[in-house]
Amino acid sequence: MSEFPHLRLPIKIPAKHKSPRRPFNKTVSKQTLDNLINRRQHGRILRNSVDQITNDWYSQIAAREEELLPAIPNASTIPIFLKIDSNEFDAEQLYSFGIEVIAEEDGGFIIGASSDNFRSLKNKIAEFIKNDGKFKNTAAKLWNIIHGNQWRIDYILSEELKTKWDTIEVDEVLLVDISVACYVKISGAPSKKQTETDNNFQRRYENWLNRKEFLEIQRVDLEMQRQDELDAFIIELGGERKSDFVGYEDSFSCRVLFSGKALKDFVINYQYLFDVSEYDDLTFEHPETGAEETIEVGFEVPDDNASRICLIDSGIQEEHRMIRDAIETVNSKSYLSGDDSVADTVPGGGHGTKVAGAILFGNTIPKTGTHKHVLWIQNAKVLDRNGWLPEKLYPPELMNNVINDYQDTKIFNLSINSKRPCKTVHMSEWAATIDSISHNRDKLFIISTGNINPFNVTASNPGIIQHLMKGRDYPEYLLEDASRIANPAQSCFALTVGSVANTKYNDEDKESFTEKDEPSSLTRTGPGIWKMIKPDVVEYGGDYIKEKNQNPLISTLPVTSAEVIKTTFDGSNAIGYDVGTSYAAPKVSHIAGAILNEIPSASANLIRTLIVQSARLPEDKFRNPSIENIRMYGYGIPSKIRATQNFAQRITLTAESTIAAKEAEIYTIMIPKELNRPGDEYDILIEITLAFTSKTRRTRRQTKSYLSTWLDWQSSKFGENYNQFKARISQFSDGDEIEEEDDNAENIPWCIRESISWGTVKGLRRQDSSLQKDWLVTKSYNLPAEFSIAVIGHKGWEKDLTEEVPYSIAVSFEVLNAEIDVYNLIRIENEIEIEQRVRI
């Protein structure tokens, strides 16, 4: 055990949280106001649109019958595409209009379906025209109802399918991943009235819980009904379902084989569809480079209770002398149909074997002496010898199967990505499945961001050479939309890892793209979906070399590449060199395993927290970061030492707990007088990281609609004591709400902050991510006598506000320019005992 282990945060104080009052704003959007002023005209337009959509739908049904096409399930349910006032109108309100919300899209657009022939919608429009009824003005917030079918192509299809849609032949065979909505609206939990007795409220609340349970069962029944109907419809269209159904809280998905004609009919007519993507033969790029090296090293097996990391990849050369003592062969498994071998047969030295070496050794492969392995590797082979994920393996289903086979494993390394940037409206099936597993089963996925290929002529996904030819130089092209992280790296709860260069190379003819610690020329960047901070961290994955001319060829050299363990099936050397984010991610898995060795009971959230807490941007960016820095680095390069232990000049305090919406948990750290005496001018680094998970749903957009409950943290201000902070954050009675906090001089000047216009980093907010870090360097005399942090729960889509979600938080203090024993000063001041951790 370390001499300076992480310590527990002092005891938390639970409290109810009341959100700050926002400035009262009665401003109505211009479009909504115009609709209210021109009530009759707008109402007639909506009514005529509904009539036209209804007529078009039944004409479409009749035409299909004449062509002897199979009947559409629930043909009386009519799809609709609306634009709403998204600032004033909650999409959930559409259920009162008789419209099931299939999916929420960008720009206030809603894909919906009416099962009552628009009866409820027409009634609401009639009330609006007559200026009569309780909700007489609501229809003003329905801005438009769109006619025709073009919207189904524009909003349901992936960019790749959309591009080729008009050229798809009727007899062409396509393999697609489809997503189907299946959601039952549940009303919010009752709140206690001011004069209501406890017994009466408890009775109402229990009635609501019973109703909620009934509706949740109804949703499951509806999901099974839609799956059965969908299966029958696919068969009647001549298609074939190629995977099991994978369910989410509000939808399900599967992989289907269609003819071109059947696919077009399905997309245009199936009412509950909200996402269709063509099969992506997921893979990796690895331009392997060669080198010879003498190795004289022996190995010892890990301890039986050492951490286990499951490698989901192309298999491993399990008898490789550098790694064989750390492979848990009894649990090795191939998921490839007709191929039971778990060997890594990818040409060029393999892929899974290289990743396994990076998990075991991090950035330093031992060459001499005796090395004791400290981790076990589990081998889950999913890629074939070409490095592709076969079409029979549907990623969401595959993730669930792997987790079921490795139930006792906490950490999973996934250096596999789509070839293209991730979508930014709805979380993908693959990423959503990873999020569901992470929350429900306390697992941590560590995922590469994906690579930008040296050469690719696809306009929406150009290679490095194509960027350079278009005048987009390094590093500017890293910030293009086409360079966005690749699926499933956008996963909300996974730890996403990009790459930085390990050195600079320069000679008369060639040079590397960048300096040491700068983003690699191949790394994909953030932000992720809904402006989440992604990547979370970066590690050393190597860099490309380019020629010094106008049309440079791109290559690799050992000196600028990551050192890797290679397969030796062809007689090659056991160690070689390669570049890619594939080899950055496992170096973070190496750190994750070290944390789990140090803290055997650590949750996935705590591991995420400590890795990000240990991360740091390069010094020139650390004290004054920009949004571009965060997009390329995330929170920086993690440190195994800082992640697992402290030293005299640094202390890290952690806590794990659960919390519900509208609650707060407050932690307070007493600062010893030796640290904040007037006249002393030590530089003190303060870092705070929060990680949490929750239930998710796919059909909505934005972080707060994706998550059932979301969390953020706030700190005390300079000069604010515990009682003042508690009064600001919490309230224990039905008193007045506190005013919204301004961005003033009393606030601690964190780098990222709660608003896109605050802090050093403009354009990003901490609370848009499930992994929230912030930091600052301040003079020691600024430290308050009491430093408090509140973790606050906020309502997402979950209606039961008593449902708790898990979180982990870490707070660190580090003296940067003096030999001050901050560790023991704070430990003694707060009377914290060092715990003895024992791995069982």
Side-chain angles (χ1 to χ4, degrees):
M1 183 175 174
S2 167
E3 180 184 356
F4 299 99
H6 301 321
L7 303 178
R8 287 190 183 275
L9 272 169
I11 188 168
K12 65 179 182 291
I13 305 297
K16 291 294 182 184
H17 171 69
K18 199 167 190 178
S19 299
R21 178 187 297 156
R22 300 303 190 263
F24 183 71
N25 186 355
K26 191 63 177 176
T27 303
V28 178
S29 64
K30 183 179 183 303
Q31 180 67 58
T32 299
L33 187 60
D34 288 345
N35 294 341
L36 287 168
I37 295 171
N38 303 293
R39 184 181 294 270
R40 294 179 64 84
Q41 179 186 357
H42 180 62
R44 283 196 299 268
I45 290 172
L46 292 179
R47 187 175 58 198
N48 292 339
S49 295
V50 171
D51 290 341
Q52 182 174 339
I53 288 171
T54 304
N55 292 335
D56 289 349
W57 176 252
Y58 287 114
S59 297
Q60 207 165 293
I61 297 294
R64 294 183 81 259
E65 289 176 353
E66 289 182 8
E67 296 179 33
L68 301 179
L69 292 172
I72 299 170
N74 306 306
S76 61
T77 297
I78 307 174
I80 184 172
F81 191 58
L82 315 96
K83 185 171 185 180
I84 64 172
D85 183 347
S86 56
N87 292 325
E88 298 291 331
F89 188 81
D90 184 351
E92 300 291 306
Q93 292 179 258
L94 287 170
Y95 284 88
S96 67
F97 287 67
I99 296 173
E100 177 184 347
V101 177
I102 304 302
E104 185 181 0
E105 305 293 327
D106 281 336
F109 288 103
I110 303 291
I111 299 174
S114 170
S115 59
D116 68 353
N117 214 34
F118 293 124
R119 178 180 54 82
S120 300
L121 176 58
K122 288 178 180 179
N123 288 341
K124 286 288 195 298
I125 294 172
E127 289 178 359
F128 175 71
I129 293 174
K130 293 177 182 178
N131 197 12
D132 180 51
K134 183 178 180 181
F135 302 104
K136 61 187 178 183
N137 295 329
T138 308
K141 300 170 187 176
L142 302 185
W143 285 359
N144 196 9
I145 299 175
I146 292 86
H147 310 154
N149 290 323
Q150 183 61 40
W151 63 267
R152 297 190 69 83
I153 298 166
D154 293 340
Y155 285 86
I156 293 177
L157 299 182
S158 66
E159 289 298 322
E160 292 72 30
L161 265 180
K162 199 184 307 180
T163 300
K164 65 188 292 186
W165 186 252
D166 292 335
T167 62
I168 294 175
E169 301 290 342
V170 295
D171 57 352
E172 185 176 346
V173 177
L174 297 103
L175 188 65
V176 294
D177 298 337
I178 66 171
S179 297
V180 176
C182 185
Y183 175 66
V184 172
K185 185 177 185 293
I186 299 174
S187 62
S191 56
K192 187 178 180 183
K193 299 174 184 177
Q194 192 167 7
T195 59
E196 188 175 22
T197 65
D198 290 342
N199 288 340
N200 191 62
F201 171 70
Q202 187 63 32
R203 184 170 59 253
R204 287 198 305 121
Y205 183 74
E206 288 174 359
N207 289 339
W208 177 83
L209 282 178
N210 291 334
R211 174 66 177 167
K212 179 175 182 282
E213 183 179 1
F214 169 77
L215 291 174
E216 287 171 343
I217 293 171
Q218 192 177 67
R219 197 207 73 81
V220 173
D221 291 342
L222 178 63
E223 179 177 354
M224 295 174 65
Q225 177 188 332
R226 285 194 181 165
Q227 289 175 356
D228 290 342
E229 293 170 346
L230 178 62
D231 261 343
F233 191 40
I234 289 170
I235 292 170
E236 289 174 348
L237 286 170
E240 181 183 0
R241 179 159 60 87
K242 305 294 286 187
S243 76
D244 286 343
F245 290 115
V246 176
Y248 309 94
E249 293 285 341
D250 61 346
S251 57
F252 61 87
S253 62
C254 63
R255 177 164 287 176
V256 182
L257 192 68
F258 277 128
S259 68
K261 180 180 179 180
L263 176 64
K264 290 193 172 186
D265 185 61
F266 180 74
V267 168
I268 296 300
N269 292 293
Y270 188 60
Q271 307 97 312
Y272 311 112
L273 189 68
F274 72 91
D275 189 41
V276 181
S277 301
E278 192 170 11
Y279 157 70
D280 187 354
D281 53 344
L282 306 162
T283 186
F284 50 82
E285 296 292 327
H286 64 111
E288 190 265 336
T289 64
E292 294 291 330
E293 195 152 6
T294 301
I295 305 167
E296 297 179 357
V297 61
F299 292 94
E300 296 178 3
V301 299
D303 293 337
D304 289 342
N305 59 4
S307 300
R308 283 152 172 80
I309 297 177
C310 180
L311 173 58
I312 307 172
D313 214 284
S314 63
I316 302 172
Q317 183 184 350
E318 295 188 342
E319 291 303 314
H320 195 295
R321 68 188 182 93
M322 301 288 289
I323 61 177
R324 63 189 175 200
D325 294 306
I327 307 299
E328 196 175 64
T329 56
V330 67
N331 286 318
S332 299
K333 181 171 181 177
S334 171
Y335 292 84
L336 303 180
S337 178
D339 180 7
D340 293 332
S341 170
V342 294
D344 181 7
T345 57
V346 173
H351 186 263
T353 303
K354 296 175 181 178
V355 176
I359 292 173
L360 290 174
F361 303 123
N363 282 300
T364 306
I365 298 176
K367 310 289 173 50
T368 60
T370 300
H371 175 84
K372 180 178 175 63
H373 291 297
V374 295
L375 302 171
W376 289 101
I377 301 291
Q378 296 169 326
N379 180 9
K381 181 177 179 178
V382 302
L383 301 181
D384 64 19
R385 72 177 315 276
N386 297 312
W388 294 342
L389 188 72
E391 62 183 42
K392 291 182 179 179
L393 293 180
Y394 180 46
E397 181 184 13
L398 176 63
M399 295 300 101
N400 283 324
N401 291 340
V402 170
I403 293 300
N404 287 335
D405 290 334
Y406 296 91
Q407 296 188 35
D408 295 332
T409 302
K410 178 78 69 176
I411 303 165
F412 295 80
N413 190 98
L414 192 63
S415 291
I416 306 170
N417 300 88
S418 167
K419 297 176 180 177
R420 299 182 284 267
C422 71
K423 294 185 287 187
T424 57
V425 178
H426 298 291
M427 192 68 76
S428 72
E429 308 102 294
W430 192 5
T433 300
I434 289 171
D435 285 340
S436 177
I437 292 169
S438 299
H439 175 67
N440 293 323
R441 306 184 71 166
D442 190 28
K443 307 298 183 186
L444 175 60
F445 285 82
I446 297 175
I447 306 176
S448 53
T449 60
N451 300 330
I452 304 172
N453 294 339
F455 186 91
N456 192 339
V457 296
T458 305
S460 62
N461 188 29
I464 297 173
I465 287 177
Q466 282 64 45
H467 280 299
L468 298 178
M469 291 173 63
K470 290 290 186 180
R472 297 187 290 265
D473 293 331
Y474 172 91
E476 285 76 18
Y477 69 77
L478 293 179
L479 300 175
E480 294 286 317
D481 283 346
S483 301
R484 188 170 56 250
I485 58 175
N487 190 29
Q490 75 274 28
S491 162
C492 186
F493 306 141
L495 200 62
T496 303
V497 185
S499 174
V500 289
N502 54 308
T503 191
K504 174 66 179 177
Y505 178 82
N506 196 359
D507 66 20
E508 291 183 1
D509 302 314
K510 299 178 181 179
E511 63 177 341
S512 57
F513 276 81
T514 190
E515 306 284 340
K516 184 180 187 297
D517 293 344
E518 294 294 316
S520 302
S521 56
L522 53 83
T523 191
R524 290 188 173 274
T525 61
I529 189 170
W530 313 316
K531 289 200 170 182
M532 290 186 194
I533 291 176
K534 293 284 179 178
D536 297 295
V537 293
V538 291
E539 256 288 1
Y540 296 103
D543 191 25
Y544 284 122
I545 299 292
K546 63 177 179 178
E547 294 177 336
K548 294 180 177 179
N549 58 47
Q550 293 298 314
N551 298 295
L553 293 176
I554 292 176
S555 59
T556 57
L557 286 176
V559 67
T560 58
S561 301
E563 191 176 44
V564 295
I565 302 298
K566 292 172 50 185
T567 57
T568 58
F569 295 126
D570 60 357
S572 298
N573 197 41
I575 295 178
Y577 297 86
D578 208 342
V579 298
T581 59
S582 285
Y583 314 118
K587 293 175 181 177
V588 175
S589 295
H590 175 78
I591 298 174
I595 293 171
L596 199 56
N597 280 340
E598 186 73 20
I599 312 173
S601 62
S603 67
N605 276 330
L606 181 57
I607 298 171
R608 278 204 300 161
T609 297
L610 291 175
I611 289 173
V612 165
Q613 185 78 345
S614 78
R616 199 164 292 181
L617 295 170
E619 183 60 32
D620 59 324
K621 303 169 179 65
F622 174 61
R623 291 180 183 247
N624 190 31
S626 67
I627 186 173
E628 291 79 15
N629 298 150
I630 303 299
R631 288 181 62 186
M632 292 189 279
Y633 288 92
Y635 295 111
I637 305 169
S639 160
K640 182 178 175 181
I641 292 176
R642 288 194 295 265
T644 56
Q645 58 185 287
N646 300 274
F647 39 89
Q649 290 77 39
R650 179 180 174 88
I651 184 171
T652 299
L653 305 106
T654 69
E656 293 191 84
S657 186
T658 59
I659 192 171
K662 297 190 177 182
E663 291 184 353
E665 293 186 341
I666 301 173
Y667 301 88
T668 296
I669 302 165
M670 306 302 295
I671 304 299
K673 294 178 180 179
E674 293 89 339
L675 285 180
N676 57 8
R677 287 181 300 214
D680 288 341
E681 293 193 7
Y682 314 130
D683 280 347
I684 303 287
L685 168 65
I686 309 174
E687 298 169 292
I688 301 178
T689 301
L690 169 72
F692 69 93
T693 63
S694 76
K695 295 189 299 185
T696 60
R697 62 179 185 180
R698 286 195 61 222
T699 60
R700 304 303 190 263
R701 53 181 292 276
Q702 301 301 339
T703 305
K704 295 171 187 178
S705 295
Y706 180 65
L707 303 176
S708 61
T709 303
W710 61 277
L711 309 184
D712 69 353
W713 62 264
Q714 292 188 29
S715 72
S716 54
K717 303 177 183 181
F718 286 134
E720 185 177 41
N721 63 33
Y722 167 75
N723 289 328
Q724 293 168 325
F725 179 65
K726 183 179 71 174
R728 180 164 62 88
I729 292 297
S730 14
Q731 62 88 32
F732 298 92
S733 65
D734 292 327
D736 291 336
E737 295 183 19
I738 56 179
E739 292 294 327
E740 183 179 31
E741 177 184 356
D742 292 323
D743 183 31
N744 56 48
E746 293 182 2
N747 292 328
I748 293 179
W750 301 107
C751 290
I752 300 176
R753 294 296 306 271
E754 309 94 317
S755 168
I756 60 173
S757 60
W758 298 355
T760 309
V761 177
K762 312 293 185 186
L764 293 173
R765 303 187 306 171
R766 283 199 307 254
Q767 64 268 37
D768 286 334
S769 304
S770 71
L771 190 51
Q772 305 169 12
K773 179 178 181 177
D774 224 327
W775 68 98
L776 84 153
V777 177
T778 188
K779 293 299 182 183
S780 55
Y781 55 72
N782 286 327
L783 291 176
E786 299 172 321
F787 182 82
S788 297
I789 312 99
V791 178
I792 303 168
H794 301 272
K795 182 179 180 297
W797 55 260
E798 175 57 56
K799 303 301 183 182
D800 184 357
L801 301 187
T802 66
E803 186 168 294
E804 296 185 332
V805 299
Y807 75 84
S808 167
I809 190 166
V811 183
S812 296
F813 296 87
E814 183 176 339
V815 180
L816 299 180
N817 59 349
E819 297 296 320
I820 304 296
D821 187 358
V822 67
Y823 185 93
N824 283 308
L825 284 172
I826 289 180
R827 181 182 67 81
I828 294 169
E829 182 74 15
N830 290 273
E831 300 180 343
I832 303 172
E833 296 294 330
I834 296 177
E835 297 179 13
Q836 297 298 316
R837 297 186 176 114
V838 179
R839 174 177 283 274
I840 300 174

